[in-house]
Amino acid sequence: MAAQTETPAFTSYVALGDSFTEGLNDPDPEGGFAGWADRLARLLAEGRPRTPEGPYDFRYANLAVRGRLLDQIVEEQVPRIQQMQPDLVSFTAGGNDILRPGSDPDEVAERFEAAAARLRDSAGTVLICTGFDTRDTPVLKHLRGKIATYNAHLRAIADRNDLAVTDIWALRTLRDRQAWSEDRLHLSPEGHQRVALLAARALGLDTAEAPDAPWPATPVHTPAELRRENLHWAREHLLPWVGRRLRGESSGDAVSAKRPDLLPLG
């Protein structure tokens, strides 16, 4: 975790979303996943005093579940915010909708804004994230225009509703292969850390580490090695992902929220 010299006065945080916010492919010591939201919660908590019992004077919940579409997040997760009344909510949704054939980013954005307005009534601060720049990502690079359109809507929604924005599209270090896990669909642990740092700065936290710091040098692959790597990725990750969508299945069908209650962060 990065050191910090200034901490916003947040005492509670609830994360909403899909696999990105659940933290897929960022293993935690207990056998689950951490992810950028857990890392952001830790950054915020470390600026708070500890209670006599030991945990920080900071509560955190993560309701995100992999594979969830925007309407599912709105139905299952958004109503919990009215009950919890946290100081901070992160709301990242719509990415899975945009990836679906025939989806309309204009229409998805309308539904997103309606949900964001609901959250503003029940939380002190709402933080949203733009989508990734997929220019260098196989297959997904063809959706770059749709993602850019959706991002333009998200920035306008933030302006109209006074939301904080983590501008992931603009974070060029995430276009490096080291930011991504083997499946190329979810971030690596260091990629999640970069997003956590960017989110912290969007909230006014001064972090010692920079989200756009250069990556360490890596070996240069030959064209033949890259082809073998791409074939392995397509066989092991892309085809199963496409197959689930053709069958109408989701990787989160049997998954529940990893941290469903707003509890002190130890």
Side-chain angles (χ1 to χ4, degrees):
M1 291 291 113
Q4 63 265 16
T5 59
E6 181 181 346
T7 305
F10 297 122
T11 62
S12 55
Y13 167 37
V14 181
L16 311 180
D18 50 32
S19 61
F20 168 60
T21 300
E22 184 185 348
L24 256 62
N25 297 355
D26 181 16
D28 68 20
E30 298 180 359
F33 294 110
W36 72 271
D38 287 22
R39 291 168 177 268
L40 174 61
R42 180 66 58 180
L43 285 169
L44 295 171
E46 286 175 350
R48 302 289 303 167
R50 285 189 178 271
T51 65
E53 295 78 17
Y56 292 104
D57 180 23
F58 184 87
R59 296 177 299 147
Y60 172 56
N62 190 319
L63 309 184
V65 176
R66 67 197 72 171
R68 290 299 192 260
L69 298 169
L70 173 58
D71 287 347
Q72 293 173 312
I73 294 169
V74 171
E75 179 182 354
E76 300 168 5
Q77 301 175 28
V78 169
R80 298 288 308 281
I81 300 304
Q82 188 172 12
Q83 304 164 5
M84 295 177 170
Q85 298 281 314
D87 293 335
L88 172 66
V89 171
S90 62
F91 179 44
T92 56
N96 288 326
D97 299 71
I98 296 300
L99 294 179
R100 295 204 163 195
S103 62
D104 180 355
D106 300 337
E107 187 273 333
V108 176
E110 289 181 5
R111 291 186 280 124
F112 182 97
E113 182 165 18
R118 288 176 57 188
L119 291 172
R120 284 290 290 126
D121 293 336
S122 302
T125 298
V126 178
L127 173 71
I128 67 173
C129 299
T130 63
F132 297 97
D133 185 350
T134 59
R135 186 176 78 171
D136 303 315
T137 307
V139 181
L140 298 185
K141 64 184 178 182
H142 302 294
L143 299 174
R144 191 174 186 237
K146 287 177 64 175
I147 297 170
T149 300
Y150 189 55
N151 284 346
H153 282 300
L154 292 179
R155 294 186 188 97
I157 289 168
D159 288 342
R160 287 193 294 266
N161 295 275
D162 193 24
L163 313 180
V165 181
T166 304
D167 194 354
I168 293 174
W169 177 280
L171 186 58
R172 294 189 176 184
T173 49
L174 292 186
R175 285 165 45 187
D176 192 283
R177 184 68 184 82
Q178 296 176 75
W180 297 89
S181 63
E182 188 178 80
D183 69 7
R184 306 186 189 180
L185 298 171
H186 300 97
L187 294 171
S188 65
E190 181 59 26
H192 278 286
Q193 176 69 357
R194 300 293 181 108
V195 172
L197 292 169
L198 188 66
R201 292 192 172 194
L203 294 170
L205 188 69
D206 184 17
T207 62
E209 294 178 45
D212 56 354
W215 292 94
T218 57
V220 177
H221 294 288
T222 66
E225 289 172 332
L226 291 174
R227 283 194 297 271
R228 285 196 296 270
E229 185 179 280
N230 288 338
L231 287 172
H232 173 79
W233 168 75
R235 182 175 62 251
E236 298 297 324
H237 300 288
L238 177 62
L239 292 178
W241 180 73
V242 172
R244 285 196 301 272
R245 271 144 186 78
L246 292 175
R247 295 190 298 272
E249 299 174 356
S250 168
S251 57
D253 285 344
V255 178
S256 56
K258 65 179 183 180
R259 192 180 174 94
D261 299 310
L262 194 57
L263 299 174
L265 191 64

